[in-house]
Amino acid sequence: MEYISFILICIGILFNFFGCIGLMRLPDVYNRLQSATKCVTLGTCSILLGVLFHYGFVEAGVKAIIAIPLLFFGATVAAHALVKGAYIFGVKLGDKSVKDDYKDVPKS
Amino acid sequence: MRYIALFILAFIFWLLITMNISVANIIVGAVAALVTALIFGKHFIKDVIPFLQPQRYFWLIIYLIIFIWECIRANFDVAYRVLHPAMPIKPGIVKVKMSLKKNIAKTILANSITMTPGTISVDIIDDYIYVHWIYVSSEDPEKYSQKISGRFEKFIKKIFE
């Protein structure tokens, strides 16, 4: 059990690290959000699962497993709000972008 | 009806996060759940009756397995793009048609799209989702609609509609 939780927490930290590298390397706000939402969410979920395996089904473990769906919904809704807000604010897509269907849509 | 459903959900949530079955704790939890249900009940899912059917939960479990698999793939995909020295990205915003009608189903589909490889949902207008895609691999709307939303749409339809 100890080893499983150790491995899960290590994987989580590794993915959080990849997410941070993505945040530094990718060109514009939209691509940076991609790495920020996906890698960081799964990394943190993995850490929480590691906590569950470490403590078992007692108070701390159950709290960790409840945090996972909350984190999922929080991250996705926050990503949507940030992307839409950035677009309406007028942040341009990066130089490498090939397509923009959202340009001629009336924004509310 | 939906006020009662929200009350039950909030109460179960309270019991799980406190993990304590004393009388005082249950009374406090019931009062807190009641206040929550009264304030936020009008924003809850419109008709909760379909959620009593067991086959929806069967599809929910299958959907969750597929979703977790896609989510793990998404992470390796993003990690690959980030660590590759040349950064193979070709971003763009594409318009994807969906056939779902209910608001809750649309929300879940948009959230699933955000968690899958290389896509973030930007906005929903009528029947279209605008999706920011990190690697636009084809120009054909049919093909990329299938690629982005086709995997989840049929399951979400079975679960929520």
Side-chain angles (χ1 to χ4, degrees), chain B residues 8 23 30 37-38 42 61 65-67 78 86 141 154 160:
Chain B
I8 294 168
V23 178
L38 288 179
K42 62 175 181 288
I61 290 168
I65 293 169
I66 292 174
F67 175 72
V78 171
K154 50 183 186 286
F160 289 102

Side-chain angles (χ1 to χ4, degrees), chain A residues 18 21-22 25-26 30-31 34 38-39 42 63 66 72-73 76 80 83-84 96-99 101-102 105, chain B residues 13 16-17 67 75 82-85 87 91-93 95 111 114-116 118-119 122-123 125 130 132:
Chain A
F18 289 157
I21 293 177
R25 281 198 70 199
L26 291 169
Y30 307 100
N31 293 313
Q34 299 254 8
K38 287 184 235 311
C39 283
L42 196 89
K63 275 179 190 162
I66 291 172
F72 259 80
F73 283 103
T76 47
H80 158 71
V83 168
K84 193 177 171 187
K96 285 184 174 178
S97 303
V98 290
K99 202 165 168 32
D101 283 347
Y102 193 49
V105 178
Chain B
F13 185 72
L16 282 175
I17 56 169
F67 175 72
N75 279 275
V82 163
L83 295 178
H84 197 284
M87 265 205 302
I93 295 180
K95 185 173 164 184
N111 279 354
T114 299
M115 292 312 294
T116 48
T119 48
V122 178
D123 202 353
I125 295 171
Y130 292 84
H132 181 269

